[in-house]
Each structure stands twice: as C-alpha cells, then as structure tokens.
Amino acid sequence: MMTPERTAKLIQTLNRRQPDLTVITDQVHKPRNIAALVRTCDAVGIPNIHTVTPKEGYQFNGTTRGSDRWVKTQNHASCDDAIAMVKSQGMKVYAAHFSERAVDYRSVDYSQPCAILMGAEKHGVSEAAAEQADEHILIPMMGMVGSLNVSTAAGIILVEAQNQRLQAGMYEQSRLSESEHRDTLFEWSFPDLAEFCHNKGLEYPLLDETLALSDAPAWYQAVRDGSAVKRLW
C-alpha cells in the first residue's frame, strides 16, 4: 500500500503538469543529453517530449534512469512530423537557433502553448525545421565559446518558461483533462499493471483515495472470466 506522503507527492506533481509546454529534439543523439533533457522536463512539469530519430548513431529508447516513468517520450521519423503534431495541438514553436531574426530567449512568451525546439550540438536545428519555427531564440554568450551544451541550453530556457508560468499562476491548479489525470495517476501508481492493461486491451481499474485498487478481487475475477472492460490503446 502506498504511504499517504507518496500519494500526496504523486497528486501534487501531477497537478503541476503543463500539457501545453513541450520540447522537440532535432536528431539529438547522445544518450546523456536526452537523459538530462527528460530530467529537466520533469523538473519544470512537462509531461511529454518529442524526439526525432537521428540519421546516424544513437536512437533514444526511453530509458533515463527513472525519469522516463514521469515524462512520456514520443519518437518521430522526422522533425516535420514532430512540428506538425505540436502545431496541430495549438502550440507555437520556439527554435533555439542563431539567425538574423533570433531574439533573446527571455523576450518570448512561454505562458502560451509552445514547444522548444533544440538541435544536436554539432549541427544545431536543421534549416528545414528552423524555417517552420514561429520564433528563433538564443542565449546571449559572454565568453569565448559560441554555444552551450544542448541539455544545458534547454535547462536555461525551460527555467525561464517555468518562471513565466509561475508568475501567471499556471502551476496553481491541475491543467490536465480529467481522463488524462486519471490515466497518468494510474500509470504512475501501477506501472506494471498499466502495461498489462495495454497488452491485454483492458481499461484501467478504478483507484480509491489512497491510490489502491478500489475493488481488486472483483477486477481480477473479471479479468479471469473475460468480463473486464475493454479499451483500445
């Protein structure tokens, strides 16, 4: 049984999630950078990120020493696909990209639905992806080096996004839909059972206020006799 403290922590964390803030990685291939990005996304309340499969080298497999349990990763074959998806959800795209139209990263509005587009360290954001971005943003550099590590840069930008959203009161109440809140809470509480339900095409069983199965014997019996509620995942 989950402790009251653990229950409260899960619900509090979920209530601060920002469904209209995300990150897109344009062929970022180093596993340590992806892991750091996922960890930072969790820290600022981002529930989902989008990765684009590198043409060569490492492909993210969703394992980031635990952070992937709290942040869902959706992989795309191209950056075009990732950008099209977030724009279909009403998000603007802010590309961390040096160009003539680039502005200081602190000058854009992160309180509106938006996706932060980050490129790989060597090549940065691709020109094709940069053309589709609504804004180009940059972090002013005061030293000899011309750019930061991608995970470090993303962290700086996301903390600014967090600060703007804090000032706008966007962390003060749950912003997830009722169904997404319920599903995510179940997946966080019972990850193995959630995977079982996905594999078997079953609806998640109900939880009580302590995040225990509300009627575990009845649900397991329904699974055995085939009467459990189905769901297409």
Side-chain angles (χ1 to χ4, degrees):
M1 182 176 294
M2 197 173 299
T3 65
E5 293 77 15
R6 181 66 169 176
T7 297
K9 177 64 174 178
L10 289 179
I11 294 174
Q12 180 186 59
T13 299
L14 189 57
N15 287 345
R16 292 173 175 171
R17 284 310 200 224
Q18 303 292 299
D20 57 356
L21 177 64
T22 191
V23 169
I24 302 172
T25 65
D26 187 0
Q27 300 191 57
V28 174
H29 61 278
K30 293 181 180 179
R32 64 178 182 273
N33 284 334
I34 294 290
L37 282 165
V38 172
R39 188 178 183 89
T40 303
C41 285
D42 173 54
V44 302
I46 292 176
N48 308 287
I49 70 168
H50 300 265
T51 61
V52 177
T53 304
K55 294 179 180 178
E56 298 178 357
Y58 176 79
Q59 180 173 342
F60 181 56
N61 63 9
T63 301
T64 57
R65 297 184 180 181
S67 298
D68 59 301
R69 179 177 173 183
W70 316 116
V71 179
K72 295 180 180 179
T73 302
Q74 183 163 357
N75 191 253
H76 302 267
S78 70
C79 209
D80 289 347
D81 293 343
I83 291 173
M85 173 167 285
V86 300
K87 285 194 171 185
S88 72
Q89 297 169 350
M91 297 188 194
K92 287 192 171 183
V93 176
Y94 299 149
H97 182 68
F98 183 80
S99 71
E100 291 184 354
R101 66 182 177 104
V103 298
D104 189 297
Y105 76 102
R106 292 161 293 194
S107 67
V108 299
D109 182 5
Y110 299 100
S111 66
Q112 63 182 323
C114 60
I116 314 303
L117 175 59
M118 306 297 301
E121 288 181 54
K122 185 176 180 180
H123 302 292
V125 173
S126 65
E127 288 300 327
E131 289 179 2
Q132 299 178 65
D134 297 281
E135 298 278 2
H136 292 172
I137 56 177
L138 55 78
I139 300 170
M141 305 299 295
M142 306 302 178
M144 295 295 292
V145 298
S147 64
L148 295 167
N149 169 277
V150 61
S151 60
T152 301
I156 291 171
I157 294 167
L158 289 175
V159 167
E160 172 64 20
Q162 180 194 55
N163 287 336
Q164 289 189 18
R165 286 176 173 243
L166 279 168
Q167 293 176 20
M170 299 175 73
Y171 289 93
E172 294 177 5
Q173 59 184 3
S174 177
R175 303 185 61 243
L176 299 175
S177 68
E178 182 179 350
S179 60
E180 187 176 7
H181 192 286
R182 182 178 61 250
D183 284 352
T184 304
L185 192 57
F186 185 89
E187 290 160 4
W188 285 4
S189 304
F190 296 95
D192 293 336
L193 191 53
E195 183 177 3
F196 173 83
C197 290
H198 278 256
N199 291 338
K200 299 297 184 180
L202 299 175
E203 179 62 88
Y204 293 152
L206 296 177
L207 301 180
D208 63 21
E209 64 278 1
T210 68
L211 300 188
L213 299 188
S214 61
D215 192 350
W219 185 77
Y220 283 115
Q221 180 58 45
V223 172
R224 287 192 291 270
D225 63 27
S227 63
V229 178
K230 305 292 185 181
R231 180 170 176 178
L232 181 62
W233 295 98

